[in-house]
Structure formats: C-alpha cells, structure tokens
Amino acid sequence: MLTSEELERYARHIVLHEVGGQGQAALKAAKVLVIGAGGLGAPALMYLAAAGVGTLGVIDDDVVTLSNLQRQIIHTTADVGKAKTDSAAESVAALNPHVRFITHEMRLQAANALEIVGGYDLVVDGSDNFTTRYLASDACFLARKTLVAGALGIFDASLTTIRAHEKNAVGEFNPTYRCLFPEAPPPGTIPTCEEAGLVGAFAGVLGSMMALEAIREIVGFGEGLVGRLLMIDARAMRFETLRYARDPANPLNGDHPTITDLSGHR
C-alpha cells in the first residue's frame, strides 16, 4: 500500500496509464542492485530512488575523489575522501526517505557475487571494466536475475537487458552477454576514463537510460532491450538499435554449457 505522502510524491507516475498505482506498488516492492556508484551508477541510483524503488543496493569499494565530481552527481565536494557507498546512502536518504538503502562496501568478486546478487530482483551494471561485466552477467544467469547492462566509451555508449535464464516465445533461451561479446578485448586496447577523458553529461544520459530500462522492466510497459543492443553516438547525436541472438556455442546457456559456477572468475 502507498501512503498519502507517497501518493503525492509519485503523482506523475500514478497518472500515467503505463504505470498507475499498480506499477508504483511494483516499484515499491522491487529490490534493485546497482554495481558501482560512479559515472553510470550515480544517476541510475538517483532516478531509481526518485522513482520509488523500495529497496536499493549499491556495491562499490572506492572513495570519492575530486575528479569524480565532474560526472558522479550523487556525490558532493564535502564527500571527498568518503566511501562512495556512504556518500550515495546520504544522497538517497535526502532525496527519498521511503527507500531502504543497502550498502556493500566491497568489490564484486566470484566469492561474493551469488550471495549479493541473489538478494535482489534486478541488477543494474554500471561497472567500467570487462572483468566485472562478465562476472555480473554470469552471476545473474546462475541466480536467475534480470541484468541491465550499460557501457560507456568516450563518445559512444551501449545498453541492453539480459534475461538469459528465461526462454523466449518459441522456447529458446534468451541471449547472454557472452553471445554479444564472446571475448573481452585484449588488455590495454580500450583506454580508461582517466586516460581518454569523458563528458560528464554523457554519463548522465546513459545512467538515466539504465534507470529507465530498469523501471520499465519492473513495471512492464513497452518493448524492452532483451536481444537488442541500443547504441548511442554522442558526436552525431544518433541512436541505433541492433538485434542479437543466442549463440548456441556460448558457454553459459548454449547447447553444451561449460559455465556452471563462478570458479572461472578471478
């Protein structure tokens, strides 16, 4: 049930035919984990909190630095030196006291991924490295959780939703992250944010879209991004979508799966 204060807070959702009171109640009941309280996780966390997601979790082992503030809008100058999880918790509490916020001040690793991911309904991956992306994807498959995965380049970005543990209308498993990216690029081939730079507002665009896709998944309106990769070219202000399918040779839910646990991750 929504309180009178919540009804006023979420009034613009409730009048939407696609959301309504039932959709807002679904958001209140949802449990969402955000991986990373950085450039993507920061706006995602703020919009998910504002939307009324009942339980929000964040996992991050970093501390706030001055150079983060150009894009990581959940933190402030006064937070420099503070754990990002603590800073995020304070910002979410100030924005929406109805949200239960859980902090995991650690890095997502094979030893803790299944336990942490298993406590949530949906995972939003805002990490900035392929090691964490593959781990998050594999953990979500094994824990049977939905994954919203975003990746940010200098002026390019991508977004998709993965429900590889579920089957489509014709009875085939949905594609995995490994169907889209069978192998990570060699180390050093993709420059880091520190090396190449980044426009902060662009991180905000993708992080907000990740929150939107998570909300859409919870409420259930529109056409999602399962089996579709949304690509953004910020230089040309162009959005394109391509479809991708399950690879029968993928090691996770392929015809002959070889990944049955997270022991292969380091």
Side-chain angles (χ1 to χ4, degrees):
M1 296 292 293
L2 299 173
T3 66
S4 59
E5 200 270 343
E6 288 174 305
L7 289 171
E8 181 178 356
R9 178 183 288 269
Y10 307 127
R12 300 303 183 273
H13 271 176
I14 293 170
V15 297
L16 277 173
H17 174 73
E18 292 83 357
V19 180
Q22 185 174 355
Q24 193 61 52
L27 289 168
K28 183 175 181 177
K31 299 178 181 180
V32 177
L33 173 69
V34 177
I35 301 175
L40 299 180
L45 283 164
M46 294 296 278
Y47 274 109
L48 290 170
V53 171
T55 301
L56 266 181
V58 64
I59 180 167
D60 199 308
D61 68 342
D62 204 0
V63 299
V64 180
T65 66
L66 194 60
S67 63
N68 294 152
L69 304 183
Q70 169 254 10
R71 62 201 177 279
Q72 299 179 18
I73 58 169
I74 204 167
H75 313 298
T76 69
T77 304
D79 294 323
V80 170
K82 185 180 299 183
K84 286 185 178 180
T85 51
D86 292 341
S87 173
E90 293 173 2
S91 294
V92 167
L95 175 63
N96 190 347
H98 299 284
V99 175
R100 175 182 176 231
F101 198 77
I102 302 172
T103 60
H104 307 275
E105 190 180 346
M106 61 190 71
R107 180 175 291 273
L108 190 72
Q109 297 177 326
N112 61 26
L114 284 178
E115 181 180 359
I116 294 173
V117 166
Y120 297 87
D121 305 316
L122 182 147
V123 176
V124 175
D125 182 11
S127 62
D128 60 359
N129 64 88
F130 280 94
T131 298
T132 303
R133 290 169 188 160
Y134 282 105
L135 174 60
S137 175
D138 291 353
C140 284
F141 172 78
L142 294 172
R144 302 183 62 81
K145 305 296 181 180
T146 299
L147 173 67
V148 174
L152 189 67
I154 302 173
F155 286 105
D156 62 282
S158 64
L159 175 62
T160 191
T161 295
I162 298 169
R163 294 205 301 262
H165 59 286
E166 296 179 356
K167 294 183 178 181
N168 59 24
V170 296
E172 299 174 341
F173 277 111
N174 291 319
T176 74
Y177 186 80
R178 292 178 180 275
C179 298
L180 189 58
F181 301 106
E183 295 182 358
T189 57
I190 297 180
T192 65
C193 174
E194 289 80 1
E195 296 168 336
L198 181 69
V199 176
F202 188 33
V205 168
L206 182 60
S208 298
M209 294 185 72
M210 293 168 73
L212 176 59
E213 178 64 1
I215 292 167
R216 195 210 55 75
E217 279 286 321
I218 294 166
V219 176
F221 59 83
E223 180 185 2
L225 289 174
V226 174
R228 298 197 300 149
L229 181 70
L230 174 66
M231 298 176 294
I232 307 172
D233 179 349
R235 284 191 178 93
M237 278 300 184
R238 184 170 60 238
F239 291 70
E240 297 181 0
T241 306
L242 64 82
R243 293 190 178 274
Y244 65 99
R246 169 183 171 269
D247 178 4
N250 90 76
L252 200 60
N253 73 355
D255 293 345
H256 304 286
T258 57
I259 298 176
T260 58
D261 56 36
L262 299 179
S263 60
H265 291 271
R266 296 291 181 267

